Amino acid sequence: MPHRTRSSLEIEGFPGWTWRALAAEDLPLAWPLARLAGVATDLGAWLRLAERWLAHAAIEGGGLGALVNPGGLLVALERHRPSAVDGVPALAVVWHRVLEVTPLPRCLEALVEATSMLARRAGCRILEIAPGPDEAERFARLAGRLGLVACGDRWLRALDPELPATANGAAASVARPPG
């Protein structure tokens, strides 16, 4: 189920917000967010980590992306790859970090919407997202509004209302490519 990620997309319901695919030449732009989010202690460490992720993405059919708010700030980073839940095509957000920069936190919600759009465009019917550190409560608060269902250490969002009940949350199996 390999797919190519588009370079950017406007996020529905979030005027002025965009999701942007990161290429090797974009990685230095993401460094300030990576540092603030505690991902890497210096630019060199960030570049090595992100370049390794991009190499995996090239093999897995996934990618590395950033969420950009209307002010042009990178406010979230994410790594995704194809997956399957009970045999249904899924996009797994295997890692992300969000930096809320306003009094009204919207970045996590915008990231879920952006990656859901990315998943739909890739032909996936489920979004599978791993919560970041200390995000379980935030995901639980967003669950009802965004249609998220806890499934082990992941949250699932059915992108197709025709999916059977198991794919809507009580998944019997979640398959992920190795690595």
Side-chain angles (χ1 to χ4, degrees):
M1 174 172 77
H3 67 278
R4 304 249 356 148
T5 55
R6 301 177 102 181
S7 59
S8 70
L9 54 98
E10 190 95 9
I11 304 168
E12 294 172 15
F14 292 82
W17 291 68
T18 57
W19 174 91
R20 173 180 173 180
L22 295 178
E25 60 271 10
D26 301 317
L27 298 178
L29 297 173
W31 158 240
L33 175 57
R35 180 165 169 79
L36 286 171
V39 177
T41 56
D42 60 59
L43 177 60
W46 162 245
L47 292 175
R48 286 187 299 279
L49 175 65
E51 286 169 355
R52 194 168 51 249
W53 285 347
L54 287 174
H56 284 303
I59 295 166
E60 299 169 339
L64 186 60
L67 181 67
V68 183
N69 75 3
L73 294 173
L74 292 171
V75 292
L77 297 170
E78 62 82 19
R79 179 179 174 217
H80 62 271
R81 63 181 174 207
S83 182
V85 175
D86 283 348
V88 177
L91 183 75
V93 177
V94 296
W95 176 91
H96 73 274
R97 291 298 178 271
V98 174
L99 184 64
E100 297 290 356
V101 294
T102 65
L104 177 64
R106 299 195 67 200
C107 296
L108 182 59
E109 185 175 349
L111 183 65
V112 170
E113 289 298 336
T115 53
S116 294
M117 290 174 58
L118 185 65
R120 284 184 193 101
R121 290 181 182 195
C124 298
R125 297 172 61 201
I126 296 174
L127 176 68
E128 174 190 359
I129 188 166
D134 303 319
E135 284 186 338
E137 188 177 306
R138 290 185 68 202
F139 270 94
R141 284 194 310 263
L142 291 173
R145 189 173 53 197
L146 297 181
L148 296 167
V149 177
C151 183
D153 64 343
R154 309 277 174 164
W155 289 83
L156 302 179
R157 183 183 199 193
L159 304 175
D160 180 348
E162 302 289 318
L163 288 174
T166 56
N168 278 313
S173 66
V174 177
R176 292 181 201 93

